[in-house]
Amino acid sequence: MAGLLTSVLLLAVALAPAQIVDLFSGDPAESRPLAAETARPEHAPSAEPGLPPTPDEPFRGSPAALWASGAAGITVPEAKATGWMSTAQVKHALEATRTFLVASNLDPGVLRGQRPDKAMSLINPHQEDVQAFLRTAFRTPGEDHDPLLLFSRFNTSQARPVGDVVKTRGRISYAAGERGALQVTADVTFVYPVTSAAGDGDDIVRTIVRREIAMSWDDPAKVITEPGTFSLSSYKLDMTNGGCGSPTGYFAPAFGAEQSPSAAGAAVDPYDRSTPIDQGGAGAGDGCRTATRS
């Protein structure tokens, strides 16, 4: 099973002229869901019994079996007045940030290949480089213009989700940013159980996607923006079993005999959230790797 890391650092913001749930509990007699993540963990999750996933238990044998489902696994901190925003405005921005993560990585239609229109509507329309990236990514996906850098999508003619649950674990944090903006950072891992569209549904694998996204909720007196939108500052993707070939705009998990280890790939743990993506986390570096567990 292979992993791919893509890291993209952004981008310019448009300066104003005047200022240049549902918990998957598994067997309640054996385990309880983990508490919400409020800070970076110190180590990777402990090893789980090597049990294969099933249609009824697609997270069996995975640390994600103890994670929350959907938006419930994305921890939102208490809001406090920061930068140009009041406490109420910060609270709204944090909720909108989680809405973006849900709309881009958990929406059932988006997961099945639809355009993430709701998520894209939250991105500052005046951030021209990002808007150009989005237009190109959905028209002609490529290494530098891949919609998977921001959105989770599967081609249902190749792979289809198993059930309606996506396991998540991560958190949102914030601080004062440049020009008085509210700088919000999200670090979230998503676990997608999928099966081959051509099979009988018993061959189940998990595509594991970790995202670190930084966004700037800008002061409209200093930056050209629209109400309720943010400017992207950076985004990083760490993915295993989502495909390592030429970008198609969709994750392309391998099934059955196709799940051969990468000859050149180092072993990585896709559930290890103890380091940032670019500091030795699962899949850090360029190219494909072998996951130690799925």
Side-chain angles (χ1 to χ4, degrees), residues 77-150:
E78 179 184 358
K80 296 181 180 180
T82 303
W84 72 280
M85 286 186 164
S86 66
T87 297
Q89 289 171 313
V90 170
K91 181 178 180 180
H92 177 77
L94 296 177
E95 292 173 347
T97 297
R98 184 156 71 167
T99 295
F100 174 80
L101 295 170
V102 170
S104 55
N105 296 279
L106 296 172
D107 180 272
V110 173
L111 292 181
R112 288 164 173 81
Q114 296 178 11
R115 284 175 61 92
D117 291 330
K118 181 176 181 180
M120 291 193 294
S121 71
L122 293 170
I123 300 174
N124 182 1
H126 302 288
Q127 196 177 11
E128 290 297 335
D129 45 6
V130 174
Q131 294 301 324
F133 162 81
L134 293 173
R135 288 191 297 270
T136 303
F138 287 101
R139 184 175 63 248
T140 53
E143 292 290 346
D144 297 325
H145 297 89
D146 189 345
L148 297 182
L149 296 174
L150 284 169

Side-chain angles (χ1 to χ4, degrees), residues 210-284:
R210 182 180 174 191
R211 297 189 185 278
E212 290 182 2
I213 301 176
M215 55 191 70
S216 181
W217 292 87
D218 298 309
D219 182 349
K222 299 178 180 179
V223 174
I224 300 175
T225 186
E226 294 295 328
T229 69
F230 60 81
S231 298
L232 277 167
S233 301
S234 67
Y235 45 89
K236 301 175 185 179
L237 166 68
D238 186 6
M239 171 266 292
T240 58
N241 199 28
C244 287
S246 300
T248 64
Y250 303 98
F251 290 129
F255 299 97
E258 296 178 352
Q259 298 182 73
S260 58
S262 171
V268 295
D269 182 354
Y271 292 98
D272 187 356
R273 296 179 43 78
S274 63
T275 59
I277 287 178
D278 57 354
Q279 293 184 13

Side-chain angles (χ1 to χ4, degrees), residues 67-83:
W67 292 6
S69 302
I74 305 172
T75 305
V76 179
E78 179 184 358
K80 296 181 180 180
T82 303

Side-chain angles (χ1 to χ4, degrees), residues 58-59 62 64 67 165-169 189-193 206-209 271 294:
F59 301 98
S62 161
W67 292 6
V165 175
V166 175
K167 290 294 187 172
T168 58
R169 187 155 184 82
T189 300
F190 304 85
V191 183
Y192 304 99
R206 290 181 285 254
T207 296
I208 305 165
V209 178
Y271 292 98
S294 63

